[in-house]
Amino acid sequence: MLHEVVTRTALVMLLFCAATTRAAVAQVDLAGSWAARNHEILAGDGLPVDYTGMPLNDEARTKALSYSESQLSMIERQCQGWPAFYFVQGPFGLRIWSDTEPVKGTVVSWTIGAWEDRAPMTIWTDGRPHPSEYALHTRAGFTTGTWEGDTLVAYTTHMQAGFLRKTGPPSSDQATITTRFSRHGDLLTVLAVIEDPIYLAEPWVLSKSFQLSAIPVPPVGPPCMSTFEGREPGASVPHYLPEKNPFVDEMTTKYHIPREAVLGQPETLYPEYRKKLKAAQTGR
């Protein structure tokens, strides 16, 4: 009887150690400086009205068309920064490091360093819950992470309202991000799925590739310094009234892209839309 108990105990301990070892192996080291390769086509930074590839709903489209980039010349808006998901959109590299528990040495969190226009993101991997929905919303939001095999899956909530793209499509304070970090040797692939019940008709998927770099990426960019750019305090906020955006047909005129594709209609994200586009162009 005692022999059976000892045997079962040993077997349980062996299985526990094997599971622990697999979990430890699965946690790939993400630390280092990662240079952005920018192989992806990052639309939306060229012409003022470019919402291609975005599943916007009607509310988001209306608000985006009222946006003028001259708003960024206002002193109170110059340093407002971008939401957490901007690190997948912007042209800069990443500096990633981990923080460990001092006694056990286990990783408590991963941190993605900041830029001058984006706050640092801390990914908590110690099992802590997300705060109440009424808790403070910040530019960085609140992020927790778990490992799925060798991929770190992060979930971000509590972000302040901002913009999905520099051309004005908005994001609300109810937006969330599910981000997957997958390392393959010296390459890091980041896949972000942004969901917003206020402004997106369906999830918006972004991806970006980075490569391990021997040249250190700064953990934080230079501080943002607001300055006078010719707008007097109290002046009106630059904007366009409904149906008055002068750039709404610029992409259509320049590239012959239908307005519905320019304005981020959800159906334009799918391959089937090519048939509809071809039929409209050829009449067949």
Side-chain angles (χ1 to χ4, degrees):
M1 185 69 177
L2 179 60
H3 174 72
E4 292 179 359
V5 172
V6 171
T7 302
R8 285 197 295 269
T9 303
L11 180 60
V12 170
M13 292 182 66
L14 181 62
L15 292 174
F16 175 78
C17 290
T20 303
T21 301
R22 285 197 298 270
V25 171
Q27 297 186 18
V28 174
D29 188 8
L30 302 177
S33 292
W34 299 91
R37 287 298 166 235
N38 295 322
H39 299 310
E40 300 80 3
I41 299 175
L42 300 177
D45 289 341
L47 300 178
V49 177
D50 180 1
Y51 317 144
T52 53
M54 304 186 73
L56 302 180
N57 60 24
D58 291 339
E59 289 81 1
R61 193 172 299 107
T62 300
K63 188 168 183 178
L65 287 171
S66 72
Y67 176 76
S68 168
E69 288 190 89
S70 294
Q71 290 180 19
L72 299 179
S73 66
M74 302 171 67
I75 292 178
E76 63 269 33
R77 294 174 182 260
Q78 290 174 15
C79 295
Q80 66 182 8
W82 298 98
F85 48 77
Y86 186 59
F87 79 90
V88 191
Q89 298 172 284
F92 307 113
L94 304 178
R95 177 74 170 271
I96 303 178
W97 65 91
S98 63
D99 291 305
T100 57
E101 199 278 330
V103 176
K104 298 180 180 179
T106 56
V107 174
V108 175
S109 65
W110 294 91
T111 299
I112 301 176
W115 303 331
E116 60 268 29
D117 53 2
R118 183 186 62 79
M121 172 190 281
T122 299
I123 305 172
W124 298 102
T125 57
D126 57 358
R128 67 183 65 191
H130 282 249
S132 161
E133 62 178 306
Y134 305 108
L136 179 67
H137 286 52
T138 64
R139 285 293 170 199
F142 185 89
T143 305
T144 57
T146 57
W147 286 92
E148 294 183 1
D150 57 0
T151 297
L152 177 62
V153 181
Y155 181 63
T156 305
T157 60
H158 293 78
M159 292 179 291
Q160 291 180 357
F163 296 99
L164 294 166
R165 188 178 278 176
K166 287 184 176 181
T167 49
S171 65
S172 76
D173 60 2
Q174 296 183 40
T176 63
I177 322 170
T178 301
T179 313
R180 285 174 163 78
F181 299 83
S182 302
R183 179 173 180 174
H184 308 277
D186 65 343
L187 296 177
L188 178 67
T189 301
V190 181
L191 177 70
V193 180
I194 303 169
E195 299 179 76
D196 190 336
I198 306 301
Y199 292 126
L200 290 179
E202 56 188 73
W204 185 35
V205 182
L206 300 171
S207 67
K208 191 173 180 67
S209 299
F210 301 86
Q211 188 168 20
L212 196 63
S213 174
I215 302 175
V217 174
V220 63
C224 178
M225 305 290 290
S226 59
T227 183
F228 179 70
E229 294 188 3
R231 297 191 59 82
E232 296 291 342
S236 62
V237 176
H239 70 288
Y240 300 114
L241 294 173
E243 306 297 331
K244 298 296 183 181
N245 192 308
F247 304 105
V248 67
D249 287 320
E250 189 166 347
M251 284 197 70
T252 300
T253 302
K254 188 172 183 178
Y255 299 115
H256 307 290
I257 301 174
R259 181 187 281 195
E260 66 179 8
V262 173
L263 297 183
Q265 296 286 351
E267 67 169 320
T268 64
L269 274 66
Y270 296 94
E272 293 79 6
Y273 181 72
R274 288 188 176 184
K275 298 178 181 179
K276 181 178 179 180
L277 185 61
K278 183 178 180 180
Q281 291 174 337
T282 62
R284 291 185 293 174

